[in-house]
Structures are given as C-alpha cells and as structure tokens.
C-alpha cells in the first residue's frame, strides 16, 4: 500500500477516535477529566470601590448549605467575601437573597475593614456556569446596605471546590 494512503488512513482513524471520545462525553465529564489545569486555580475575584481583588484558594464548606469563603489582606486592609448557595446548586442564573439561613437560597456577604463595610447582599445575581464532581464555577455581582449607603461588589467570578 502506498505510504501516503497509509498515513492518511491512520490520520482519519485518529481523528474519528478523538471525535467519538468527545461526542460520547458530556461537557461536565470532559471538564471533570480536565481538572483545575484547564479550569484555572481555585479563586474568587471581584471588584469593589474601583479596585480588583484576587483571592486564591477559597474554602468551601458543605454543612446546611454550600459556602465559598475567601479572605484578602488583614487588619485595616481586610476584605472577606462569602458566597452561599444550596448544597446542590444548579447551572443557571439565580437571584441573591438576604436569607443565608435559607438552605435553598443564593446570596453573598462582604466585609471591608476600611470604611467599616459589613453587608449582606439584598440584591444581585450569581450565575453558575460549570459544575463537575469536584468543582463549581461561576460569576456574581451584588449590592447591600451599609448603614444608609449602598455598597456594590461587581465583576465577580469564582472557581471553588464542590
């Protein structure tokens, strides 16, 4: 058999094998197989008061509900953000509520030592984009009252342990 025909046949078989593998797996299975190397490092990133904050390695707690908790800085520069959701969140866009004790609710809590900011989200959205056996990924933005002032956290995104 001609070498170019043999080479072409091997290439076609390899392409078909790869295509069948990806078609037979769901997106979640493919992402789960890829792991954090493809999804990136565990994180919570957000913008507050015009500054972007990047928190590495947030902690996920699964007790009555799921909470993803991250801390940036310490003392007077401390920023802490907590996202909460049901133990089994679903892919999609969810409205945030002021009810972290409601185990079916989605919401957020934010603290900034500078300015004595301490808010529970009274409005906002959390969009869950990816759920695998090991990870949960999404975006968020929310607002809440700190005394009479409205505080906003925007351009949020996270990747956390499930």
């Amino acid at each position: 058999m001609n070498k170019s025909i043999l080479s072409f046949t091997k290439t076609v078989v390899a392409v078909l094998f790869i295509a069948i593998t990806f078609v037979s797996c769901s997106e979640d299975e493919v992402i789960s197989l890829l792991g954090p190397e493809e999804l990136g490092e565990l994180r919570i990133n957000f913008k507050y008061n015009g500054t972007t904050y990047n928190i590495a390695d947030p902690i996920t707690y699964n007790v009555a509900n799921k909470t993803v908790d991250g801390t940036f800085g310490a003392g007077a520069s401390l920023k802490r953000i907590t996202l909460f959701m049901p133990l089994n969140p679903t892919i999609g866009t969810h409205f945030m509520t002021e009810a972290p004790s409601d185990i079916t609710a989605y919401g957020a809590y934010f603290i900034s030592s500078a300015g004595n900011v301490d808010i529970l989200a009274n409005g906002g959205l959390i969009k869950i984009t990816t759920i695998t056996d090991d990870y949960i990924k999404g975006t968020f933005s929310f607002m809440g009252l700190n005394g009479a002032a409205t505080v906003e956290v925007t351009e949020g995104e996270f990747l956390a342990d499930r």
Side-chain angles (χ1 to χ4, degrees), residues 15-30:
V15 168
L16 285 173
F17 177 75
I18 292 169
I20 290 169
T21 301
F22 279 106
V23 169
S24 67
C25 294
S26 71
E27 179 183 357
D28 283 350
E29 289 169 328
V30 170

Side-chain angles (χ1 to χ4, degrees), residues 54-111:
N54 302 298
I55 301 172
D57 299 319
I59 299 170
T60 301
Y61 300 98
N62 293 300
V63 184
N65 61 2
K66 178 180 299 297
T67 59
V68 179
D69 192 35
T71 304
F72 180 90
S77 66
L78 175 75
K79 306 284 183 282
R80 181 175 180 187
I81 193 160
T82 303
L83 305 173
F84 57 88
M85 58 199 83
L87 279 174
N88 293 305
T90 57
I91 290 178
T93 302
H94 308 279
F95 291 101
M96 291 189 177
T97 71
E98 288 183 285
S101 61
D102 177 355
I103 61 173
T104 64
Y106 292 81
Y109 181 66
F110 176 67
I111 295 173

